[in-house]
Amino acid sequence: MFFCGGTVMAKIFHSCKKKSKIIAFTALVLLFFSVMLFCGFRPEKTASFFAMDTYCSVKVKGKNSADCVSEAEKLTRELDENILTRHNDFSFVSRLNSERKSVLDEKEKSRFETMLGLSRDSGGAFDFTLGALSDLWGFGEEPAVPDEKRISEVLGKTGFEKITLKGNEISFPQGIVIDMGAVGKGIALDEIKTVLDENKASSAVISIGGSILLYGKDDMTVGITDPTGKSQYMAVLIPGECCVSTSGSYERFFEQNGKKYHHILDPETGFPAENGLVSVTVCSESGLLSDALSTACFVLGKEKGMALLEKYGCEGVFIDGENGVSVTDGLKDRLEITDSRFVLRQV
Ligand code: AMP
Ligand code: MG
């Protein structure tokens, strides 16, 4: 009886202990999640994919992170295939290039206004009408130095000043081939930013080739690619929440008779821009501007490029062929050169 009673008592005692253990465990689990939430824990999702002829990676934190990541990938692919590429026959830009006129929706109109404004402000260094010139150089297929006579023929038919934008109607003469190569990645970042805003994402890093969106209040670091190719990065930048785009002569080039020819063309000469720079990185709130300005500054060179950045309220890092690094005032305390072969230049 005692034993029995003892067993019953022990069982009751044991089940009490079990209950309190469960309660204690539940309390611990709840405490753990409260601490995690308090400390800013947010589910994180990542993805990497190939689009816009480059490698893309997406990392989003926040409760809708999975939706944001899949939407970012879908949006980048669709933007490329349906709107920006000139290498199929159904995208908006392909149809525009063959019909040479179109009625633009408000978003397209605003993009063209910005691009035309930058073409003017850069004195034509940035020119999105050079598709035929890029094709003549054969970038993307079998590149080779073209005949100079052909270059001047093509140049005679190109130029942003030949574009007419009246109200929502855009038109241009034969010979112009619109090329969004210098702005497409930035445009994609702007579109993805809208998705992140709508989903109230906590933070995100979106990388589309040489253009990166740093989203959210966390202080995030971006590496600046080593233009010499000897290491991965030569400096780190903590620019705050913005879009960061780099244009570099190392990104796409070929060699002929021992000389290197890259893909960023000087609209004045029709040849790859040559002013001593090997890369320009630009930070801006706008993806389109960061992308377009990095290309423009690469063509303009350091002095004129820095003046253009000032006019647009943007910051930048210019690297020259002698491993010299020049940085605008706003980034001076936010850049750390990590590779001792590179030296900071006085601006
Ligand atoms: P990015 O890598 O953003 O500097 O863009 C380079 C791409 O922009 C090239 O591959 C061309 O498609 C296009 N491009 C080349 N030169 C120019 C230029 N001077 N202005 C605008 N776009 C250009
Ligand atoms: Mg660009």
Side-chain angles (χ1 to χ4, degrees), residues 114 118 186 189-190 193 211-215 237 239-246 281-294 308-309 312-317 328 331:
T114 305
L118 183 59
L189 294 184
D190 288 335
K193 188 165 184 266
S211 289
I212 298 175
L213 164 64
L214 301 176
Y215 183 90
L237 193 59
E241 184 168 23
C242 69
C243 292
V244 187
S245 291
T246 298
T281 297
V282 173
C283 305
S284 163
E285 261 180 41
S286 150
L288 168 51
L289 274 183
S290 71
D291 199 353
L293 279 167
S294 67
L308 184 67
L309 292 188
Y312 276 77
C314 296
E315 305 292 338
V317 181
T328 56
L331 288 182

Side-chain angles (χ1 to χ4, degrees), residues 125-128 130 134 179 181-182 247 251 263-265 267 291 295 299:
F126 173 81
D127 193 328
F128 58 94
L130 301 180
S134 285
D179 173 23
S247 292
E251 281 171 344
H263 67 309
I264 305 173
L265 303 171
D291 199 353
T295 312
V299 178

Side-chain angles (χ1 to χ4, degrees), residues 169-244:
E169 283 180 37
I170 189 168
S171 59
F172 48 85
Q174 192 150 24
I176 295 261
V177 178
I178 288 183
D179 173 23
M180 305 292 267
V183 290
K185 300 174 202 85
I187 289 174
L189 294 184
D190 288 335
E191 294 294 306
I192 293 171
K193 188 165 184 266
T194 311
V195 173
L196 297 171
D197 285 342
E198 282 166 3
N199 283 280
K200 297 190 171 54
S202 314
S203 70
V205 182
I206 315 291
S207 164
I208 303 181
S211 289
I212 298 175
L213 164 64
L214 301 176
Y215 183 90
K217 298 289 167 233
D218 301 352
D219 257 347
M220 288 174 269
T221 305
V222 272
I224 298 186
T225 302
D226 174 4
T228 66
K230 295 211 170 92
S231 55
Q232 203 177 359
Y233 300 114
M234 44 63 67
V236 289
L237 193 59
I238 307 184
E241 184 168 23
C242 69
C243 292
V244 187

Side-chain angles (χ1 to χ4, degrees), residues 74-269:
K74 187 166 164 259
L75 204 148
T76 309
R77 290 188 193 287
E78 286 180 358
L79 194 64
D80 185 21
E81 281 167 34
N82 300 336
I83 314 268
L84 300 175
T85 186
R86 58 187 181 87
H87 301 297
N88 64 24
D89 33 274
F90 58 85
S91 79
F92 164 73
V93 169
S94 298
R95 282 182 288 119
L96 178 59
N97 278 335
S98 67
E99 289 159 23
R100 304 201 305 277
K101 61 178 185 330
S102 179
V103 178
L104 306 175
D105 66 25
E106 290 308 310
K107 202 185 258 182
E108 286 154 357
K109 181 184 161 196
S110 151
R111 283 177 192 149
F112 276 106
E113 280 172 345
T114 305
M115 284 153 61
L116 280 169
L118 183 59
S119 299
R120 279 190 288 269
D121 292 336
S122 65
F126 173 81
D127 193 328
F128 58 94
T129 69
L130 301 180
L133 185 65
S134 285
D135 290 345
L136 189 64
W137 279 88
F139 286 108
E141 286 162 21
E142 277 175 33
V145 180
D147 181 53
E148 288 202 29
K149 219 173 117 217
R150 285 289 297 127
I151 291 182
S152 45
E153 273 168 22
V154 170
L155 276 184
K157 291 182 182 168
T158 57
F160 73 92
E161 66 289 340
K162 296 189 174 73
I163 301 262
T164 307
L165 182 62
K166 266 197 197 129
N168 286 54
E169 283 180 37
I170 189 168
S171 59
F172 48 85
Q174 192 150 24
I176 295 261
V177 178
I178 288 183
D179 173 23
M180 305 292 267
V183 290
K185 300 174 202 85
I187 289 174
L189 294 184
D190 288 335
E191 294 294 306
I192 293 171
K193 188 165 184 266
T194 311
V195 173
L196 297 171
D197 285 342
E198 282 166 3
N199 283 280
K200 297 190 171 54
S202 314
S203 70
V205 182
I206 315 291
S207 164
I208 303 181
S211 289
I212 298 175
L213 164 64
L214 301 176
Y215 183 90
K217 298 289 167 233
D218 301 352
D219 257 347
M220 288 174 269
T221 305
V222 272
I224 298 186
T225 302
D226 174 4
T228 66
K230 295 211 170 92
S231 55
Q232 203 177 359
Y233 300 114
M234 44 63 67
V236 289
L237 193 59
I238 307 184
E241 184 168 23
C242 69
C243 292
V244 187
S245 291
T246 298
S247 292
S249 51
Y250 57 87
E251 281 171 344
R252 193 167 289 189
F253 64 90
F254 66 94
E255 272 187 51
Q256 192 170 315
N257 299 329
K259 189 170 158 47
K260 278 187 179 173
Y261 297 89
H262 62 80
H263 67 309
I264 305 173
L265 303 171
D266 183 342
E268 225 164 78
T269 61

Side-chain angles (χ1 to χ4, degrees), residues 8 15 39 43 45 50 52-53 70-71 74 136 220 278:
V8 170
S15 82
C39 294
K45 278 276 165 202
F50 192 83
M52 293 198 162
D53 207 19
S70 57
E71 187 58 24
K74 187 166 164 259
L136 189 64
M220 288 174 269
V278 287

